Every structure is written in C-alpha cells, then in structure tokens.
Amino acid sequence: NCDDALVSPLPSTALTSSSELFNTHSPSFAKLNRRDGAGGWSPLDSNEQQWLQVDLGDRVEIVAVATQGRYGSSDWVTSYTLMFSDTGRNWKQYKQDDTIWVFTGNSNADSVVHHKFLHSVKARFLRFVPLKWNVGGRIGLRVEVFGCSYKSDIADFDGRSSLLYRFNQKLMSTFKDVVSLKFKSMQGDGVLFHGEGQRGDYITLELQKGKLSLRINLGDSNLHFSNSHTSVTLGSLLDDQHWHSVLIERFNKQVNFTVDKHTQHFRTKGDSDHLDIDYELSFGGIPVPGKPGTFQRKNFHGCIENLYYNGVNIIDLAKRR
C-alpha cells in the first residue's frame, strides 16, 4: 500500500519555485485542494523555464502524482514533465520507454488529474516543469505526490574503503552466480567488486571513464596475464551522481550483463564451466594491493545500494557483523 499523500503533511517551506507572481501566489500555497493565499502557485512569467519543486524530506518511493490549477481562476497547466533528484542539484527527467514523458495536465482550475507511474521513482526532490497552460490564463498549479518511505541498505565508499564477503571455506566453486546492485558516483573510475582464484579464475566489475566493464575468466591461468580475457562494457556517463542498476547473471559460460535495462549476452573464455574464487569477494575496491593485474585499479568512490551476491544481502550482513 505505497500510496500515502506525501506533500500535504510537509511544512510550507518544503515547496519552492523558480519565481512567484506575488506573495499570495507563492509555492507554499501549491498543495492539492488548498484554497489559501491566491489558491495555488503562479510564477512571475508564464514560460517553459518555470518549475515547482517539492522537498520530500527524505528519499522516498514515488508511485503517482496529481495536479490542479489555481483555485477559482483561469490559471492551470495542460501538460508538464517531471524531474527528480537525491540532492536537489543533479536532476534526472522521468522517462518511460527511454523517452522523456509528458504528463497530461488540467482542463480547468479545480478538477484533479491523477497519474500513476509505470515504474516508481526513488528520490527526495521532485520538480513539476510546466510545458503548456491555459491559453486564456497563466501557469497555475497545486500538486500532490503519492508514495511511501523507502527503506534500503546503502554503503558509502570514500575511495579507500571496501566491503569483504568471506566464504565459509577456502575455495568457493560455483556454476551459477547472480550479482545485483545499484550505485551512484561522481567519479568515473573505480572497482565495484572483485574476486580471484589461484588457478587464474577472476571476476571484476569496474567503472572506467563513466562506463561499466565486466571481466571474467574461468579456469585458464594463461588468460590472467594477457589481453585475451572476456571483457564486456556497457553504459556511458554513469558518473552522473544518479542511481544506476546492475544485474549480472552467470550460468556456466553464459553471462547476462544488464545495466539500466540494457542487456548484453555473451559467453566467457576459459577451460572450465565453474568460477573458483579463493577466500573472499571484495566490494567497493581491492583491499590487498599488489595482486597481479589489479594494482593500478582505483577503489570506488560513491554509494552502493541493495547489494546482493547469490541471494546474500552483503550490506546488511556487514552491518550485523
């Protein structure tokens, strides 16, 4: 039941805007169904450079929005886009099917138009950006946002730290691996996770110049010191301080590598179908300097959220320890 009204309980200072027509038209009056002030928000000028921003106080899960025009007026918005952010500085536009989504607005001042998202958004800040408005009036807006609190496991990495997941036995040999996580960073380079074995097996996920590179080798020690290992790169500009999702699924030599809904399927090299890793996997960096082929790699600087390896919640496990 993630459909709580998130704006109505907020203090009036949580709503800000690009400008306001008069004090009576300030964003503090832009809550849905409110009639105080001039009955809603109107900017100084009605153009496409205006916006109404809501600070939800914490990172939440947003599933829907609703809008009205300014109460008892000829001012309403007929179409708008949405932008969201965790910081209030770096903004990302709401998209569906990789297209910036234009929401249908209002046809009068007081009817409520409700839109449920195709996929939820996790953010603290939300901006309504009017595109078109009533020809006979100005931009006028009252809003509500629906969702719920968002509980997640997040680890912060400062470029020097890492998380270790140590196995119960000296050697972990797997035919199947699943790694899932979300990350955000403003640094274009850094190791998100790494593991290797004595016989040349290894797996590394690394951010390089804003792209994600996945390297895997199964059981061929000769490949460990050459350029013939299996390496696949996905994504671009991933160092934009927005959350990006990663899913790696391996069964024997077949691997599915997904970054933000884009998937690449490939087969690994090597003379085995299983991945042999000694002692541990490291997340956020490589804690032991001087390992062959790893000493020039940078540790990750940013945040990792909901990190799972073969069903194990790595961050939660680290907290409990």
Side-chain angles (χ1 to χ4, degrees), residues 160 162-164 194 280-283 285-289 291 299:
R160 298 182 297 274
S162 62
L163 279 177
L164 294 181
H194 173 79
E280 65 193 18
L281 282 171
S282 61
F283 297 89
I286 301 174
V288 182
K291 284 188 176 182
N299 280 19

Side-chain angles (χ1 to χ4, degrees), residues 173-178 201-203 214-219 230 248-256 265-276 310:
S173 182
T174 58
F175 286 92
K176 180 180 179 180
D177 290 293
V178 179
D201 295 51
Y202 63 91
I203 179 169
L214 175 64
R215 297 184 181 89
I216 300 179
N217 178 45
L218 301 180
T230 306
I248 300 168
E249 303 166 293
R250 182 189 68 86
F251 183 72
N252 296 340
K253 285 189 170 67
Q254 186 62 43
V255 181
N256 301 327
H265 309 278
F266 65 94
R267 287 183 61 83
T268 66
K269 297 177 181 178
D271 57 9
S272 172
D273 285 336
H274 52 268
L275 177 66
D276 292 333
N310 289 348

